[in-house]
Amino acid sequence: MKKVLTGNFAAAYGATAAKVNVISAYPITPQTTIVEILSEIVADGELNAEFVKVESEHSALACCIGAQATGARTFTATSSQGLALMHELIHWAARARLPIIMVNVNRAMAPGWSIWADATDSISQRDTGWIQMYCENNQEVFDTVLMSYKISESESVMLPALINLDAFFLSHTSQVVDLYNEARIDQFLSKYDPKIKLDVDDPHAFGALTSPEHYYEFSYKMHEAQINAIRVIKEVGQEFGKIFGRTYDLTESYRCDDAELILVSYGTIAGTAKEAVDQMRNSGIVVGVLKIRYFRPFPTEDVIKALHPAKKVGVIDRAVSYGQSGPFFNEIRSTLYHESTPLYGFIAGLGGRDVSTHDIENMVDIMQNDPAQDLIWIGVKNVD
Amino acid sequence: MGKKQKNDQPVEFKSIKDMPDTPTSVGSMLVNKTSTWRSIRPVIIDEKCKRCMICWKYCPEPAIHPTDPPSVDYNYCKGCGICYEECPFDAIIIEQEGK
Ligand code: SF4
Ligand code: SF4
């Protein structure tokens, strides 16, 4: 079944299709409609789930942690300041190895008070142990929510996942989304049944005091699980393709095979870059796009392979790691440490400023004519 | 009352593969003795003790067992002195550790 849906509705329908047992979330612009529609779906009896209203995002994630520990499948969604408020529990959910799925609508951090797209909120959660990915369109939002349950609940992974979509560019923009049919979704995603859960008939201690004797090993196992996730994301992406006709991987190469210049990006900017690439190719510029879907685990080998043919590589970040560079640029630079490819780090679209195909052409122009630079502020105004 | 644990044997890991993914285990607190930082110890004086069990109720660990008279489990008593403060019959005295 196909429907015209905003990114937020696609996220809510994804959680519904995954038949989640517990939803707990606190509304925040521009995520609010995810919570709104889910509360309606539950109230109308279309989804047999507990919808738990809470007083803050911190409590929302705490609620999901408790529920998930009992063996329930849970879902939450937030944005920007809300995600930041969850920070303590974001670590907790990962270290407790609870495969909670959270949708974050990428929104700039305040002040200045902003409700517009910027990836700084999610990138700030980089080292929490969560799987972290970025969506380009609403179909990908729906598909990723479904796939994420299967990936995160895999016995060799057992990590929560943060699915990001750009504020307004996806959250409030309508696109056609195929919702497939229920029987095939049930065939793809089986019931969540963890090995150890909170159960009065089989008591366990949870999150107990862990001395230096064992803490280190738990961290080692978290990293191992992230690395396992690389394989699982690929397997699940393939299986999804066989059942639903759309195959997914950690990265997506667009016209990269023969490309002399490759632009790396994520989220909706990757979509705009594809459009710009088509236009530039018509005028003889041999350029491609490498879209990074997964920030954690970082697809190091795939990135090296995909970027190998390029004479020059540019990275477009809708975020800044202050005092360093664009965060994705930093990843690409360390990934390509052993290559001599000149790299260009572009910052664009902060706080929801539009990134047009014209801006992308401007970046390619810089790559063609200027020496490599780590930090290039595209469209920054009034700088002397 | 909660159900009794099926398995209260301490867990020992031979390989990292035997370890659970997270500190979620049966009997882990039997291995984790949490009393190593205690600097003072409460001692219950049998003759003064009226078995009111207020110490048992107040111990936050809980490291006091409801025996007759109540007994302190020194594997888990952190030496906070709450039992000493709360005992209405001065039946608990405090001794310095390491003396
Ligand atoms: S509070 Fe004092 S009197 Fe009461 S049981 Fe404990 S030691 Fe005995
Ligand atoms: S000193 Fe504190 S921890 Fe030890 S038995 Fe008394 S109340 Fe419990």
Side-chain angles (χ1 to χ4, degrees), chain A residues 95 201 205 207 209-210 218 221, chain B residues 3 16 19 22-25 32:
Chain A
R95 292 200 68 91
D201 292 325
L209 181 77
T210 306
F218 285 123
K221 285 175 85 90
Chain B
K3 300 213 170 100
I16 198 162
M19 278 179 77
T22 183
T24 302
S25 58
N32 286 343

Side-chain angles (χ1 to χ4, degrees), chain A residues 99-137:
Chain A
I100 296 163
I101 303 303
M102 166 150 63
V103 166
N104 177 59
V105 181
N106 277 133
R107 161 185 153 179
M109 297 297 302
W113 198 245
S114 164
I115 53 171
W116 295 277
D118 192 303
T120 304
D121 56 353
S122 51
I123 283 164
S124 300
Q125 307 298 341
R126 187 190 63 185
D127 297 334
T128 53
W130 283 56
I131 291 171
Q132 192 180 127
M133 73 81 57
Y134 292 81
C135 294
E136 182 197 335
N137 56 55

Side-chain angles (χ1 to χ4, degrees), chain B residues 42 59-61 64 72 77-83:
Chain B
C59 174
E61 283 311 297
I64 293 184
V72 179
C77 166
K78 61 188 176 190
C80 65
I82 289 175
C83 53

Side-chain angles (χ1 to χ4, degrees), chain A residues 26-42:
Chain A
Y26 190 83
I28 180 170
T29 305
Q31 156 268 31
T32 307
T33 52
I34 301 180
V35 190
E36 257 172 30
I37 183 70
L38 276 172
S39 70
E40 278 174 30
I41 289 171
V42 174

Side-chain angles (χ1 to χ4, degrees), chain B residues 44 49-55 70 87-89 91-92:
Chain B
I44 297 172
C49 171
K50 304 276 193 271
R51 276 67 168 166
C52 67
M53 293 299 152
I54 283 177
C55 54
C87 173
F89 303 102
I92 301 180

